[in-house]
Amino acid sequence: RGRLVIGGRFTLVWYQIPAGSVGQWAGTKWLPLSFGVSVGEEMGVADVMALFPYAGGLVAGGGWDHADAQLANNVAFYDGSIWQPMGAGVDGRVLAFTEYDGALVVGGEFSAAGGLPAPYIAAWDGINWSNEFTPVAISDLAIAANFDRVHLSWNVAAEARSALHGIRVER
């Protein structure tokens, strides 16, 4: 909190200090956040597409496979001293974060999170990945009004049914 942090596609800050695509402003110069993120353990250039304060630290998302030389697929948590993997991560680029109901919601170009099917959106509770926010395409939507009630009916593709844990309709 209270510091300027940047992410992008770079390997150095302040012209000479190795910083795997993430840096912080120290008031007079830029410094790395530990070793940062990379493609491969040898600090190959990675893309940091999103940064977000979460759980007293910082999460970064983008396109990479390592954080501080540990396997960390496209998403990692910085606790103030080191980058840590977030479970098995996600299988594609992370583009956005938000927090909802205590969970970190992650959006991007991925189809799985922590091994669960999760096209484009997943949630992290600090320990495990969830696909509770996974969007599902519906077809044959029918709405019928009857006095003080509304009846909704629809179909969901068979391949999406296994990912459903229930549907909540709000008005």
Side-chain angles (χ1 to χ4, degrees):
R1 288 222 182 272
R3 59 185 164 171
L4 177 63
V5 177
I6 59 167
R9 184 179 177 89
F10 53 87
T11 57
L12 300 172
V13 292
W14 207 247
Y15 305 106
Q16 62 197 12
I17 302 169
S21 299
V22 188
Q24 65 180 325
W25 182 246
T28 58
K29 63 182 179 178
W30 288 98
L31 297 174
L33 265 72
S34 193
F35 294 107
V37 298
S38 64
V39 175
E41 293 179 57
E42 300 300 319
M43 295 297 289
V45 179
D47 289 316
V48 172
M49 310 296 288
L51 295 167
F52 190 76
Y54 175 71
L58 179 73
V59 288
W64 66 75
D65 56 14
H66 282 79
D68 277 353
Q70 298 181 72
L71 189 61
N73 293 313
N74 304 305
V75 63
F77 177 76
Y78 184 71
D79 67 4
S81 35
I82 63 169
W83 288 98
Q84 301 172 15
M86 297 169 67
V90 299
D91 69 349
R93 290 188 331 156
V94 170
L95 304 175
F97 295 110
T98 193
E99 195 168 348
Y100 177 77
D101 212 14
L104 177 70
V105 180
V106 180
E109 301 168 342
F110 54 85
S111 60
L116 298 171
Y120 312 111
I121 189 168
W124 173 256
D125 66 6
I127 300 169
N128 296 303
W129 288 99
S130 162
N131 59 4
E132 71 179 285
F133 298 115
T134 300
V136 175
I138 62 172
S139 61
D140 304 321
L141 176 64
I143 303 170
N146 186 3
F147 300 104
D148 64 342
R149 296 187 177 144
V150 175
H151 179 78
L152 302 172
S153 64
W154 59 83
N155 286 318
V156 176
E159 60 272 8
R161 289 185 190 136
S162 66
L164 290 176
H165 300 290
I167 295 175
R168 183 172 75 198
V169 178
E170 296 182 15
R171 62 176 209 177

